[in-house]
Amino acid sequence: LSGGASVLHAINVAGGITDKGSYRKIDLIRNNEVIASLDLYDMIVFGKNIFSQTLRSGDTIKIHASSFIVPVSGGIANEGLYEIKQGENLQNLIDYAGGIGPSFIGDGIIYIRRFIDQAEEFISVSKSEYTDTKLFTRDAVILPFFSEDIMKIKSVKISGMVNRPGRYAIN
């Protein structure tokens, strides 16, 4: 690494964070003391510059294991798997995923698939409850949406020696 390198440079040189590694808890250790604890979501999601500390010879970067991951799909801006910290809620997850997407339908109702006593339940959450709704391990968040693929009209193109060449809708 060159002089003035940051934690992000070092992670990049090391090949990135593994699937089980946390983007939310990265410690910079100097002289056996944690001098900075970084959350990459601050940079990735919110665009904040979190790399005020430059690396020195002998520093250690510890990437902790991820706490728990919640998948979010449907009418959200960026479907995916998001790491949730203790105390975070459904609104935090929506913010990390870039907010509700233009394909969202359902009057603000979001569904959480939750396993309780080995049974699968779907919990509906209204918009006014997003910030009060805690997420748990094995939860999955589903936002109702419409798919443009469903809206596409299937068609066939007819060309050549016909009286009316063109594209025609078919069932």
Side-chain angles (χ1 to χ4, degrees):
L1 296 170
S2 63
S6 71
V7 172
L8 188 60
H9 293 118
I11 292 170
N12 186 41
V13 169
I17 298 172
T18 68
D19 291 342
K20 294 185 183 349
S22 174
Y23 284 73
R24 310 290 313 271
K25 188 162 190 218
I26 301 169
D27 291 338
L28 174 57
I29 302 167
R30 184 172 294 149
N31 298 325
N32 295 322
E33 288 186 35
V34 176
I35 63 164
S37 195
L38 306 171
D39 182 343
L40 288 183
Y41 277 22
D42 286 338
M43 182 195 70
I44 296 168
V45 176
F46 303 112
K48 296 178 183 174
N49 182 6
I50 60 172
F51 301 107
S52 59
Q53 296 283 340
T54 57
L55 297 178
R56 295 183 188 169
S57 180
D59 284 354
T60 300
I61 298 166
K62 177 170 175 62
I63 299 173
H64 293 263
S66 61
S67 51
F68 75 92
I69 305 294
V70 176
V72 60
S73 62
I76 193 83
N78 298 302
E79 290 183 316
L81 303 172
Y82 293 89
E83 185 177 353
I84 301 300
K85 285 179 160 180
Q86 184 73 26
E88 291 183 331
N89 57 45
L90 179 58
Q91 184 62 56
N92 296 125
L93 176 66
I94 292 167
D95 293 342
Y96 299 149
I100 292 175
S103 63
F104 177 68
I105 58 173
D107 251 359
I109 301 294
I110 292 177
Y111 298 96
I112 298 173
R113 188 195 72 205
R114 183 169 287 161
F115 289 95
I116 300 173
D117 296 328
Q118 310 226 336
E120 182 181 46
E121 289 186 20
F122 284 88
I123 301 162
S124 62
V125 181
S126 67
K127 188 171 183 145
S128 64
E129 299 171 309
Y130 293 176
T131 56
D132 297 326
T133 302
K134 284 182 61 175
L135 297 168
F136 298 96
T137 304
R138 298 182 64 208
D139 279 357
V141 176
I142 302 134
L143 285 77
F145 72 106
F146 70 90
S147 173
E148 291 181 9
D149 290 338
I150 294 170
M151 306 302 275
K152 285 184 182 175
I153 297 172
K154 294 179 182 175
S155 65
V156 62
K157 181 179 179 182
I158 301 174
S159 62
M161 304 305 276
V162 293
N163 287 325
R164 289 179 292 220
R167 190 162 291 279
Y168 294 90
I170 60 170
N171 289 332

